[in-house]
Amino acid sequence: FEKNRRGGFSIELPKVNLMYQELYNHSVDVNDTIFENNVDFEFRIDGFYCNSSVARNRFQQNKCRIGCISFTGTEKDFDIQENEIFENTGKYIMEFNMDSHTPYTRWVDSIIMYNNFKRNQKIDTGVRPVSSSPDTYTLGIKGVQNITLNRNLFQNHLDYELVAGQASNVLENYLDVTENYWGGLTQENIQKSIFDFDDWNNYAIAEYYPFLLYDRYDSPLATEGKLKSELDFTRPIGGRIQGQM
């Protein structure tokens, strides 16, 4: 898919009739495909529950209508691995925003591993940013589904690398985003590149430590210990109190 002037790849899966005892699942596999140099682009899988593999694809130099890659609708069983996502322009580069649970199971796996997000750029949305809602980001995890994000490589030019916006009725709601490379940033700057509970308290807690030290999937992990936040009265007060003051 290359040099198209409008549109992209977008499917919406219909609801399966639950009157039948035998379970019929949708299945969507998009593998070994190139999406390059498209304008007004989006890649979106929407609608009802499915099993899906999105692997070994390349998304490069697409100018996106809003975001580059979106997964929406009912929870979905995803395996997203070994994709190269380079030099795209959008409000976000990849977003999960599941707004309803599947009726089939209490837990739906979604794994994001060995993906390379590099040199992606933000667009001017024309919207004034507000403190509770990041304007641009590389990867957004929103809605009701928990996502596991390990062994990915990030180095981009958006406001945040990650938005941990998963909804939950549990205060200590964690997202596993360990063992990723965050562009060689210090821990203080890694924390600044992730928008989570410490930035706005209806978001999840993004557990980023330990992280990869180098820009490769087999990199050793950081061992110096997780940075503990200190109360700084020169900055807006927020986040968690993790011990006696």
Side-chain angles (χ1 to χ4, degrees), residues 1-239:
F1 296 82
E2 65 176 356
K3 298 180 181 178
N4 296 291
R5 307 313 300 169
R6 186 174 181 83
F9 180 94
S10 179
I11 62 174
E12 184 167 353
L13 302 167
K15 184 175 181 179
V16 174
N17 192 333
L18 301 180
M19 293 175 58
Y20 301 99
Q21 291 185 349
E22 189 173 356
L23 179 61
Y24 294 94
N25 283 343
H26 298 301
S27 181
V28 178
D29 297 322
V30 183
N31 303 320
D32 304 294
T33 303
I34 295 172
F35 302 87
E36 190 173 50
N37 283 310
N38 299 292
V39 176
D40 208 20
F41 175 78
E42 71 168 344
F43 176 96
R44 181 169 61 93
I45 299 177
D46 195 356
F48 203 61
Y49 173 81
C50 72
N51 305 106
S52 182
S53 169
V54 179
R56 301 178 305 279
N57 303 293
R58 187 171 80 236
F59 298 84
Q60 188 165 9
Q61 294 184 342
N62 298 292
K63 294 182 179 179
C64 304
R65 183 174 61 87
I66 300 175
C68 187
I69 305 167
S70 305
F71 305 103
T72 55
T74 302
E75 290 176 297
K76 296 173 177 63
D77 192 334
F78 279 118
D79 186 7
I80 300 174
Q81 297 198 41
E82 300 179 54
N83 297 287
E84 296 181 343
I85 307 166
F86 298 154
E87 299 162 3
N88 303 285
T89 304
K91 173 180 170 62
Y92 58 83
I93 304 305
M94 180 182 288
E95 183 177 81
F96 294 80
N97 196 352
M98 307 306 182
D99 58 14
S100 62
H101 294 288
T102 172
Y104 294 143
T105 177
R106 296 185 62 184
W107 182 262
V108 182
D109 285 325
S110 191
I111 307 296
I112 308 173
M113 295 185 72
Y114 304 116
N115 300 287
N116 198 350
F117 298 84
K118 292 288 176 60
R119 302 180 300 281
N120 295 290
Q121 305 278 345
K122 63 182 178 180
I123 59 173
D124 183 3
T125 63
V127 177
R128 185 177 179 180
V130 296
S131 57
S132 62
S133 181
D135 192 36
T136 67
Y137 43 92
T138 303
L139 176 61
I141 299 175
K142 302 180 179 181
V144 299
Q145 184 172 350
N146 198 295
I147 309 292
T148 299
L149 180 74
N150 302 135
R151 296 277 164 174
N152 301 279
L153 310 177
F154 291 90
Q155 195 165 13
N156 303 281
H157 305 289
L158 291 92
D159 295 334
Y160 293 92
E161 292 286 17
L162 173 69
V163 172
Q166 193 226 355
S168 175
N169 59 0
V170 179
L171 181 61
E172 291 192 349
N173 179 33
Y174 288 88
L175 284 174
D176 180 359
V177 296
T178 58
E179 301 185 15
N180 295 291
Y181 176 74
W182 303 99
L185 300 177
T186 64
Q187 282 200 57
E188 183 178 17
N189 287 324
I190 290 173
Q191 291 177 355
K192 290 178 181 178
S193 74
I194 297 174
F195 194 96
D196 68 349
F197 181 88
D198 289 331
D199 299 283
W200 204 257
N201 65 11
N202 64 343
Y203 285 73
I205 298 170
E207 188 55 70
Y208 69 88
Y209 187 88
F211 53 89
L212 301 181
L213 290 174
Y214 305 116
D215 188 11
R216 62 177 195 264
Y217 299 122
D218 62 350
S219 165
L221 298 174
T223 59
E224 75 271 25
K226 186 176 180 180
L227 180 67
K228 293 184 179 180
S229 299
E230 296 182 0
L231 189 60
D232 183 355
F233 289 104
T234 67
R235 301 169 57 187
I237 296 175

